[in-house]
Amino acid sequence: MSINSTSFKGNSKLENVLIIGNGGRENSLAWAIQKNELVKKVYLIPGNAGSERINKCERISIDINNKNELIKKLDLLKINLIVIGPEVPLANGLADFLRKKDYKVFGPGKDGARLEYSKSWAKEFMRDANIPTAKFWKVNSLEEATKIIYSLSIPLVVKADGLASGKGVFIPNSKDECLKAAESIFNGKFGNSGNVVVLEEKIQGPEVSVFALCDGEKYILLPTAQDHKRLNDKDRGPNTGGMGAYSPTPLLTQDSLDTIVKEIIEPTINELKKRNIDYRGVIYFGLMITDVGAKVIEYNCRFGDPECQTMMPLMDQSFVSLLEKCSMGKLTGKEKINTSDKVSGCVIATSKGYPNEYNTGFPIKIGKIDTTDCQIFDSGTSLNEDGELLTDGGRVLSIVCQDKDFDMAFEKAYKNLKEINFDGIYFRNDIGHQVRENFSQEN
Ligand code: AMP
Ligand code: GLY
């Protein structure tokens, strides 16, 4: 959809910023945004127990689906810029609604969010724009899936088409497992998100995350990052939302990044424009570096979590102005992202049982933290009546540290983790192993 508005509420102001979402990602965005001296207040809907520990931040308890109440509140608070963190409100068209009310919004409309909420649509989009990605087959029934699975000789991965909180991808080891995965999706494991199944050629290589801030016409790139999706050390165990990350990643040299820009990023932005999609937000390119070059594994219409927590401390105070420029369609594309010359590493502390069933409500004890270039962004926490911090999610805390090199950054992060405790705390011990020179893993 094209966005006509040139006259926004609070046109050139940045005093009051609203962030929608309740995770570590949104807290790290708030932390980076409040650095700008023009910003007087950062509101979070709903935020979590860590949000109000951040300078200038205040939580607001309101249901974003109650549109009348929401607009009344935003008008009352004189909100100048709205940043939408998670994919679900974007897929539900919240950005479109707020833009119609003349708010400056960072986050794509429903049409752009489709890059994430329909994997089959995203694959067809890439095919049309000639963007490198794994081969795919879109299937509408188990019979169709059976035919394809047993007629192909290449290994496949199986994906639910729609949003599934990061759980809709299966990496089977045999054709029978493939079929079982497709069957469970068609049988309703992910509700309507599984009405269509995407079968994909299984490809191999390290994964990296690249983020482009877009204003509908132009874009600028953030520092690159690498996530750690598997639950256990040595990249074993089930996929999770992300157990840790580091940024920037030396896996992408300037040369390889230039190729990615030419073959993936610019064709994506051009294809969006061709389809009349005025994309004002971040495009997250989940890439796999294969033997024949980078291929897109997935698009997301939001910042990655925990990549965002990892990258935000590298930003200077001008970051929020870039988000604002995107929301107004005013990027020049020549802006420099001013980043610290340090590197950043993040380790996530989770509840026992995550990414499957887990219990919450355990008190979190935090001892003596080295706060120099270290942040703790709450991912899933709450407060009880006595003001005690409790676990309230699968991913509980993001421990982020910056330093001259990754060895030093992760040494600090793990030292701080020793000072944190709650019943069932779990974290990987090898985050950043790819870039830590002093890291050795036995077995
Ligand atoms: P997605 O939610 O699409 O990012 O998929 C989750 C994870 O599954 C990715 O980070 C990859 O590790 C893996 N994956 C997804 N698609 C493929 C593929 N075509 N080949 C190999 N691994 C894949
Ligand atoms: N870190 C992966 C994601 O946000 O989807």
Side-chain angles (χ1 to χ4, degrees):
M1 190 171 57
S2 59
I3 299 163
N4 293 322
S5 187
T6 47
S7 144
F8 296 98
K9 280 188 187 165
N11 219 341
S12 58
K13 285 196 180 152
L14 254 183
E15 276 178 24
N16 298 307
V17 180
L18 169 73
I19 299 173
I20 291 175
N22 69 348
R25 169 181 51 207
E26 286 73 24
N27 282 331
S28 69
L29 286 167
W31 188 89
I33 286 171
Q34 60 77 32
K35 273 190 187 173
N36 190 300
E37 60 188 19
L38 296 175
V39 174
K40 299 269 183 298
K41 197 94 197 164
V42 182
Y43 296 97
L44 291 105
I45 301 181
N48 65 33
S51 305
E52 292 185 344
R53 288 204 309 270
I54 302 168
N55 196 21
K56 305 182 193 174
C57 288
E58 185 178 325
R59 295 177 70 185
I60 306 210
S61 159
I62 193 171
D63 177 5
I64 54 168
N65 296 313
N66 186 341
K67 297 282 167 41
N68 284 339
E69 284 302 306
L70 180 63
I71 289 298
K72 258 199 232 159
K73 192 76 182 178
L74 302 190
D75 284 346
L76 188 75
L77 296 172
K78 298 195 169 36
I79 295 297
N80 306 126
L81 172 68
I82 302 170
V83 180
I84 303 178
E87 63 278 17
V88 171
L90 292 166
N92 289 337
L94 183 62
D96 304 289
F97 169 75
L98 293 169
R99 279 195 187 103
K100 279 202 193 108
K101 301 285 177 189
D102 290 332
Y103 279 101
K104 288 183 274 184
V105 184
F106 181 85
K110 190 169 177 154
D111 51 4
R114 204 162 183 189
L115 280 180
E116 177 164 0
Y117 79 73
S118 171
K119 289 191 188 288
S120 61
W121 188 84
K123 293 299 275 189
E124 285 163 355
F125 176 101
M126 288 186 261
R127 184 191 57 203
D128 292 352
N130 213 7
I131 292 167
T133 187
K135 288 195 196 100
F136 75 102
W137 295 262
K138 175 182 175 182
V139 293
N140 294 297
S141 69
L142 194 58
E143 293 69 51
E144 235 183 294
T146 313
K147 254 196 227 151
I148 290 167
I149 291 167
Y150 288 98
S151 68
L152 291 171
S153 56
I154 52 169
L156 296 172
V157 301
V158 183
K159 301 185 176 184
D161 186 54
L163 297 179
S165 311
K167 294 184 182 154
V169 175
F170 295 82
I171 320 267
N173 287 317
S174 65
K175 286 182 187 295
D176 290 351
E177 269 182 44
C178 245
L179 191 63
K180 263 199 203 131
E183 194 172 14
S184 75
I185 299 173
F186 280 124
N187 281 345
K189 192 174 166 82
F190 306 106
N192 287 342
S193 287
N195 290 347
V196 171
V197 164
V198 176
L199 300 172
E200 261 181 48
E201 167 200 14
K202 186 173 176 180
I203 55 177
Q204 273 181 337
E207 291 177 55
V208 292
S209 309
V210 176
F211 300 90
L213 303 181
C214 309
D215 79 338
E217 271 298 317
K218 306 209 166 66
Y219 72 94
I220 42 175
L221 293 184
L222 290 178
T224 56
Q226 188 169 40
D227 186 13
H228 296 61
K229 290 224 162 89
R230 301 296 196 98
L231 180 67
N232 302 324
D233 284 6
K234 297 185 194 156
D235 296 316
R236 291 185 183 155
N239 265 329
T240 67
M243 297 296 291
Y246 68 88
S247 173
T249 172
L251 276 177
L252 289 179
T253 58
Q254 190 55 49
D255 268 3
S256 52
L257 200 55
D258 290 345
T259 308
I260 288 168
V261 164
K262 203 165 103 241
E263 293 184 354
I264 294 175
I265 293 170
E266 293 191 339
T268 299
I269 288 166
N270 291 337
E271 184 68 19
L272 286 167
K273 284 197 261 185
K274 195 167 135 200
R275 292 175 183 227
N276 205 21
I277 297 175
D278 194 345
Y279 195 107
R280 300 189 184 188
V282 61
I283 306 178
Y284 166 160
F285 299 83
L287 306 178
M288 199 172 256
I289 314 297
T290 72
D291 289 345
V292 292
K295 294 190 177 186
V296 179
I297 284 281
E298 63 164 349
Y299 289 118
N300 291 313
C301 62
R302 52 171 174 86
F303 289 104
D305 184 330
E307 292 98 318
C308 191
Q309 293 94 302
T310 317
M311 293 184 303
M312 283 306 113
L314 298 176
M315 303 291 139
D316 82 346
Q317 48 78 34
S318 61
F319 175 68
V320 65
S321 312
L322 297 173
L323 303 186
E324 187 197 27
K325 280 189 181 181
C326 290
S327 75
M328 299 174 86
K330 284 197 170 164
L331 273 185
T332 63
K334 302 252 183 297
E335 289 88 350
K336 278 263 164 296
I337 301 244
N338 297 319
T339 56
S340 142
D341 51 8
K342 294 186 173 152
V343 298
S344 187
C346 167
V347 184
I348 299 285
T350 69
S351 297
K352 183 177 164 196
Y354 172 79
N356 301 312
E357 307 261 298
Y358 54 83
N359 293 321
T360 58
F362 299 111
I364 303 171
K365 301 272 174 265
I366 303 186
K368 204 168 172 329
I369 296 290
D370 176 354
T371 54
T372 324
D373 284 334
C374 275
Q375 307 78 30
I376 297 180
F377 296 122
D378 293 31
S379 291
T381 62
S382 61
L383 293 176
N384 68 11
E385 287 146 15
D386 301 327
E388 194 178 18
L389 193 65
L390 305 177
T391 65
D392 195 24
R395 291 189 289 177
V396 178
L397 296 171
S398 320
I399 291 83
V400 193
C401 291
Q402 300 80 47
D403 218 313
K404 281 205 292 274
D405 62 40
F406 286 113
D407 284 298
M408 290 163 88
F410 280 106
E411 193 185 316
K412 254 193 309 195
Y414 280 108
K415 196 175 105 208
N416 278 339
L417 259 164
K418 285 206 178 113
E419 297 291 321
I420 298 174
N421 215 344
F422 56 82
D423 212 353
I425 186 170
Y426 176 79
F427 51 87
R428 274 179 64 161
N429 285 294
D430 67 344
I431 302 296
H433 62 88
Q434 306 87 333
V435 286
R436 285 157 67 186
E437 280 179 17
N438 297 335
F439 184 82
S440 80
Q441 193 158 43
E442 273 132 47
N443 303 313

